[in-house]
Amino acid sequence: MQSDASSTPPAPPSAIRGAQATPRLRLRDVTKHFPGCLANDRVSLDLQPGEIHALLGENGAGKSTLVKILYGVQSADSGTIEWEGRPVDIPNPGTARALGIGMVFQHFSLFETLSVADNVALALGSGTGRDASLIQEISRLSEEYGLALDPGRIVHELSVGERQRVEIVRCLMQNPSLIVMDEPTSVLTPHEVTRLFSVLRRLRDEGRTILYISHKLQEIRDLCDRATILRGGKVVASCDPRVETPKSLAALMIGRSFDGPKSDKPVSTGAGVPLLEVHGLSQEAASPFGTSLKNVSLHVRAGEVLGIAGVAGNGQNTLLAALSGESVSPRDDWIKFEGKSIGRVGARGRRDMGITFVPEERLGHGSVPDLSLDENALLSGWRRWGLVRRGLISRGKAREKAETVIEAFNVVSAGSSAAARSLSGGNLQKFIIGREILQEPKLLIAAQPTWGVDAGSAAAIQTALMELARSGAGVIVVSQDLDELFMISDRVAVIFDGHLSESRPTHATTAEEVGLLMGGLFEAAS
Amino acid sequence: MITLDRRPETSHIWLYATPLLAVFLTVLCGAILFAFLGFDPADALHAYFILPLADQYGLGELTVKATPLAMIAVGLALGFRANVWNIGAEGQLTLGAIFGGGLALAFYGQEGPLLLPAMLIGGMVGGALWAAIPAFLRTRFNANEILVSLMLTYVAGLLLSYLVTGPWKDPMGFGFPQTRLFGEGAILPILLDGTRMHIGFPLALVAVAAAWFIVSRSLFGFQIKVVGLTPPAAGYAGFSGRRIIWATLMIGGALAGLAGAIEVSGPIGQLTPSISPGYGFTAIIVAFLGRLHPVGILLAALLMALSYIGGETAQIELGLPVAVTGVFQGMLLFFLLASDVLVHFRVRFRLRGAGRAA
């Protein structure tokens, strides 16, 4: 075991350009075992200088584990890592950084109460955010790469896109020759994505290597030079994504041919009385950091899907709580369901009327992690399914309902007595969606229904939502995923800073237009 | 190197095995402690754990002590399951004693068959009213119920002291701070001749059975569980956290108050400034030792009761310091909390540095 890591300073990118023969990073037969699962099974991977290399795979395919091994957060059980042709041992992130490996996390790791410069200084481990030379360096880097940033601003004032820029600049300060990006676009607007891609291409052209982790197929085709596909912890294919189709990539990723959701749903005619009407709803956010709603109006008819797009943190949570009844509105007539005012009716009362809800957080909001699927069926279904008589629970009936959901929605679990926590994200989401749909709602409100869900489950969920609408129910889907919204909804509206835009028929608008709205440019888009 | 790996699901085997492990470790350490004190460990443990149970009177005493512990603990456990931390059962017990005892004094000399039931109900009302204060402050102003209920314990103690040294003092009591002895009709009947086992024990068993029914079968029990485990999911399901706070505090207060009324109308027979050797606080240990499960709580209450009388017996028989009781109770809680890690984690021993990438 050789440990020459700390003595090797990161070589400047220009010096490496000529050395095309040796890969920058070479993994050979890396294996990592966790209790009950083989996360990485003899994974081999070569990353060349000057390439954007995609690591593609479903949730649970082993992407995160591999990256953690690379960055020294976890250690592999066996296998070798070579850096610039020399075998290395990466016991901790400090060693990884010293080698020249930088990481931009999916969930930002910034201190919200500190300034941009302070955050950078903390990561560098020397100096403070008030050092003139540091501030100058941040400004220079952000200017050079077109990552507009003010070093003096406090992080909690920054938008999600700006925070990501802080992460990237912080990473670049250490002049890395390999940058790992974990699902960087999941929180960005289409415009921000375009800007991020041009930054990444510049970094590549300087000879740096970028390992780009994603499950968004279109992005990978647009951006990456090569793709390595993981499935069940193994490398199943390596290809040039630019010559593949999204369909062929998806087939490699999930291991069978992939149809995507069926979308033969007739476009809603727009006739009929609105099922749900919201008029001039203004509501305070439940938490001090939430976004309050300002004069929100919307309506949904039976048989249609209304999509609500928006970057996270623009009031979605307040809107969802107001629609589900978890926080009641100040005025009863701001929300009407089938013509009746329900603004002051709570969650239980709205459920009784036929409004069911799929929250964004599936563990800990839509389900109780430590309870069995039986009891989680009881959680939201006890009234509509009649699982409680005179205050007493009918356990047998609850199990029956849970088993019905499991079967109808192909939920992979160890039976209905398995704890919700033990299910994978996709399967738990299928269970929750199924539980809400099988209660035969008149209106279903779903938040981020396929967020972090594997492609197979996502297609099943999207199909189920469309089928529900076709059967005559109204559906509201709040999502950040524009592809999804365009695929399943009849109309789409955008939420920004607590305002909701007018909805437009999906066939009469474009992703660019919606993207402008997501960035708050309501006038520019109209 | 020892590593702790989080279990994907809590271990049900360890959930029930850890209380037994804790008892075993307590006894083991107790034996070592006795040896260091210069006693034969076997003799001392015999005096502590076996001798008290050797005769009928001892068994009766066990039920006398276990009655308030089990009764209070099942009530507290309902709240603890919902993350409602009522630490002031001692105060609610005191108010129950005041309400029940007050009735006994008010109807002194004219007791009828309805007086005893009225005293028990009065005790429940008193305890529930005392618990209503933290419930109101918590739901109205979000005041922490741990602090409020705990501080009210001292208020209750002072109120009792005032009553027994002032308006309710026994006029024939030579100035002692206590009320007169209750009349014959205000004393709980004894169930077994030659013991002090009274009718409170079957009442405690009823409370245990009722709590078991609530926890395992009723929607109310399910709501308590959901509110305690995952408050956002409770809001999602339309369960009111406020109602659960009120209900659990009122039930806990009523049961503690009932225990207080039973204590003064049973073993004590009058109001004095010290009516409880800390039952309200020990019941917290009992609740956790019993895993917040009613049946577990019953067993834990018997064990704790044994530690009280075992300490007394050991003091009489061997001259062991009475502080041993506190040491045993403390060790028990300590080992229980420590071994709880096994419920959520798997402990693995391995050689240092092994398993790293070559």
Side-chain angles (χ1 to χ4, degrees):
Chain A
M1 207 182 285
Q2 205 173 327
S3 182
D4 54 356
S6 50
S7 60
T8 315
S14 56
I16 297 154
R17 264 220 170 137
Q20 287 287 343
T22 6
R24 176 150 291 153
L25 184 84
R26 164 172 281 189
L27 301 182
R28 279 293 168 269
D29 296 326
V30 168
T31 300
K32 176 74 182 173
H33 220 99
F34 287 116
C37 93
L38 191 55
N40 285 151
D41 185 4
R42 282 165 289 145
V43 172
S44 297
L45 179 69
D46 286 349
L47 301 180
Q48 302 295 344
E51 72 167 352
I52 302 181
H53 193 119
L55 191 57
L56 181 64
E58 291 192 286
N59 286 24
K63 293 173 299 189
S64 310
T65 307
L66 192 65
V67 168
K68 282 179 185 161
I69 291 170
L70 262 187
Y71 200 56
V73 178
Q74 273 168 352
S75 57
D77 297 335
S78 65
T80 56
I81 303 175
E82 283 177 32
W83 178 257
E84 311 284 2
R86 281 191 312 271
V88 290
D89 180 26
I90 308 178
N92 54 52
T95 313
R97 282 195 291 268
L99 282 172
I101 301 174
M103 175 103 188
V104 175
F105 292 96
Q106 179 183 11
H107 300 288
F108 302 144
S109 50
L110 298 172
F111 295 97
E112 301 228 334
T113 51
L114 298 181
S115 72
V116 171
D118 282 331
N119 268 288
V120 174
L122 275 170
L124 292 176
S126 65
T128 74
R130 285 181 297 278
D131 296 349
S133 61
L134 182 76
I135 291 173
Q136 207 182 345
E137 180 67 8
I138 295 172
S139 305
R140 186 188 68 76
L141 272 176
S142 62
E143 216 164 285
E144 189 179 335
Y145 291 98
L147 296 157
L149 264 189
D150 175 354
R153 283 190 61 194
I154 307 295
V155 167
H156 76 77
E157 298 171 354
L158 302 183
S159 75
V160 183
E162 288 172 310
R163 287 176 199 211
Q164 188 175 52
R165 281 180 227 151
V166 180
E167 290 257 356
I168 296 173
V169 166
R170 187 168 74 171
C171 173
L172 289 177
M173 292 289 287
Q174 291 155 2
N175 192 21
S177 37
L178 168 63
I179 300 169
V180 183
M181 305 207 75
D182 193 0
E183 310 232 348
T185 60
S186 57
V187 291
L188 300 183
T189 65
H191 276 271
E192 288 173 321
V193 169
T194 314
R195 287 174 65 180
L196 173 70
F197 282 5
S198 64
V199 172
L200 295 183
R201 291 196 184 98
R202 263 203 68 186
L203 291 168
R204 171 193 63 193
D205 295 342
E206 292 172 353
R208 298 181 208 260
T209 307
I210 292 165
L211 183 60
Y212 188 88
I213 297 155
S214 181
H215 57 246
K216 292 193 181 166
L217 308 168
Q218 190 56 47
E219 266 179 15
I220 284 173
R221 292 185 59 231
D222 289 346
L223 181 71
C224 300
D225 308 307
R226 269 201 317 147
T228 297
I229 296 148
L230 283 182
R231 189 170 74 228
K234 285 186 189 155
V235 174
V236 290
S238 184
C239 62
D240 181 346
R242 290 166 297 192
V243 302
E244 299 284 333
T245 63
K247 219 170 160 173
S248 66
L249 282 175
L252 287 169
M253 187 165 80
I254 63 175
R256 58 190 154 80
S257 94
F258 173 72
D259 298 327
K262 291 173 232 139
S263 56
D264 51 340
K265 167 173 149 47
V267 176
S268 177
T269 53
V273 216
L275 190 64
L276 180 85
E277 266 183 294
V278 177
H279 255 293
L281 170 70
S282 294
Q283 190 156 330
E284 285 288 311
S287 80
F289 295 111
T291 307
S292 301
L293 298 179
K294 291 133 200 157
N295 197 17
V296 166
S297 296
L298 62 86
H299 66 273
V300 192
R301 291 187 194 85
E304 73 167 350
V305 180
L306 171 68
I308 295 179
V311 176
N314 274 296
Q316 286 95 331
N317 292 340
T318 319
L319 179 64
L320 288 163
L323 292 179
S324 71
E326 278 171 69
S327 58
V328 292
S329 304
R331 276 179 52 180
D332 205 32
D333 59 352
W334 278 350
I335 304 177
K336 284 188 177 150
F337 183 68
E338 297 183 311
K340 266 196 317 226
S341 297
I342 60 160
R344 312 262 331 138
V345 176
R348 184 193 292 194
R350 292 192 200 184
R351 210 174 268 284
D352 289 350
M353 293 174 189
I355 304 177
T356 65
F357 181 51
V358 178
E360 176 178 349
E361 188 88 26
R362 35 184 176 267
L363 261 188
H365 190 183
S367 71
V368 182
D370 293 316
L371 294 186
S372 67
L373 295 182
D374 294 343
E375 287 176 301
N376 274 302
L378 190 64
L379 181 72
S380 81
W382 63 281
R383 278 173 84 89
R384 289 190 74 77
W385 280 334
L387 305 180
V388 174
R389 280 262 161 76
R390 294 164 181 250
L392 295 187
I393 295 165
S394 163
R395 298 260 163 205
K397 261 178 153 178
R399 181 172 322 120
E400 210 174 279
K401 288 296 178 190
E403 278 164 1
T404 312
V405 174
I406 290 170
E407 188 165 324
F409 284 80
N410 293 317
V411 178
V412 178
S413 70
S416 71
S417 56
R421 181 195 292 290
S422 68
L423 268 65
S424 75
N427 281 306
L428 182 59
Q429 186 71 352
K430 281 195 283 188
F431 179 81
I432 291 174
I433 297 254
R435 179 185 69 190
E436 301 306 310
I437 287 179
L438 291 186
Q439 289 177 42
E440 296 171 357
K442 292 177 186 161
L443 174 68
L444 176 76
I445 301 161
Q448 319 290 358
T450 60
W451 187 83
V453 163
D454 58 87
S457 300
I461 288 168
Q462 287 160 349
T463 307
L465 291 174
M466 285 188 283
E467 267 169 9
L468 178 68
R470 210 172 334 167
S471 74
V475 177
I476 297 177
V477 176
V478 176
S479 177
Q480 296 189 49
D481 184 343
L482 283 188
D483 296 342
E484 170 172 277
L485 288 179
F486 273 88
M487 186 158 45
I488 66 176
S489 37
D490 300 292
R491 286 183 296 124
V492 63
V494 177
I495 189 164
F496 176 80
D497 194 26
H499 296 278
L500 188 73
S501 76
E502 285 280 318
S503 69
R504 294 158 195 226
T506 328
H507 58 80
T509 186
T510 62
E512 287 67 39
E513 212 177 15
V514 172
L516 285 175
L517 290 167
M518 284 167 74
L521 300 168
F522 279 32
E523 290 78 25
S526 56
Chain B
M1 193 164 65
I2 303 171
T3 55
L4 292 175
D5 295 337
R6 195 166 185 88
R7 295 175 191 271
E9 287 191 54
T10 53
S11 159
H12 283 277
I13 296 171
W14 279 114
L15 194 61
Y16 298 108
T18 44
L20 299 177
L21 181 68
V23 170
F24 171 74
L25 288 172
T26 305
V27 171
L28 187 73
C29 289
I32 295 170
L33 180 77
F34 289 140
F36 273 111
L37 287 171
F39 297 94
D40 179 20
D43 275 356
L45 288 177
H46 182 259
Y48 202 99
F49 288 108
I50 310 293
L51 216 50
L53 304 178
D55 57 10
Q56 205 183 27
Y57 180 79
L59 288 171
E61 281 305 287
L62 195 67
T63 65
V64 168
K65 302 267 194 242
T67 295
L69 289 176
M71 202 171 257
I72 300 169
V74 290
L76 293 184
L78 287 180
F80 293 167
R81 279 170 177 259
N83 281 340
V84 177
W85 303 106
N86 177 6
I87 303 299
E90 186 77 5
Q92 291 140 25
L93 177 149
T94 306
L95 259 284
I98 290 173
F99 271 57
L103 281 172
L105 295 173
F107 291 93
Y108 184 77
Q110 44 192 342
E111 294 93 355
L114 289 178
L115 180 60
L116 263 178
M119 283 170 65
L120 297 184
I121 291 167
M124 293 173 78
V125 170
L129 282 178
W130 210 238
I133 300 171
F136 174 74
L137 294 177
R138 164 80 193 267
T139 51
R140 185 78 178 73
F141 300 108
N142 206 21
N144 186 313
E145 76 279 11
I146 298 178
L147 293 177
V148 175
S149 63
L150 180 63
M151 290 191 293
L152 280 172
T153 297
Y154 304 108
V155 178
L158 292 173
L159 180 63
L160 178 64
S161 291
Y162 162 73
L163 289 173
V164 298
T165 54
W168 290 4
K169 189 160 78 171
D170 183 1
M172 324 284 272
F174 306 103
F176 279 105
Q178 57 192 33
T179 65
R180 64 172 73 185
L181 285 169
F182 299 163
E184 197 60 30
I187 297 292
L188 291 176
I190 297 291
L191 289 180
L192 257 172
D193 285 337
T195 71
R196 297 203 298 159
M197 185 201 278
H198 53 73
I199 204 152
F201 187 60
L203 285 179
L205 294 181
V206 169
V208 167
W212 174 82
F213 191 74
I214 288 175
V215 166
S216 64
R217 300 296 312 278
S218 76
L219 178 71
F220 177 56
F222 181 68
Q223 290 179 333
I224 287 176
K225 195 152 66 169
V226 173
V227 167
L229 288 170
T230 319
Y236 167 66
F239 301 157
S240 158
R242 219 170 241 266
R243 257 190 55 205
I244 296 296
I245 291 171
W246 269 103
T248 53
L249 272 168
M250 299 302 276
I251 292 173
L255 283 171
L258 178 60
I262 287 173
E263 278 305 290
V264 293
S265 60
I268 302 175
Q270 64 182 153
L271 286 176
T272 71
S274 53
I275 46 169
S276 150
Y279 286 137
F281 294 117
T282 309
I284 299 169
I285 305 181
V286 169
F288 281 103
L289 189 62
R291 286 273 170 234
L292 305 184
H293 189 284
V295 177
I297 284 170
L298 180 63
L299 298 174
L302 290 169
L303 184 71
M304 271 308 174
L306 179 61
S307 79
Y308 274 118
I309 34 180
E312 286 169 19
T313 318
Q315 188 188 14
I316 295 164
E317 294 288 325
L318 297 174
L320 276 170
V322 75
V324 165
T325 302
V327 172
F328 263 83
Q329 292 183 355
M331 280 201 293
L332 201 52
L333 186 64
F334 173 82
F335 283 123
L336 182 74
L337 294 176
S339 55
D340 257 5
V341 82
L342 296 170
V343 177
H344 301 290
F345 293 90
R346 189 175 282 126
V347 182
R348 299 206 305 173
F349 301 90
R350 58 180 182 192
L351 292 176
R352 199 178 172 79
R356 176 155 293 161

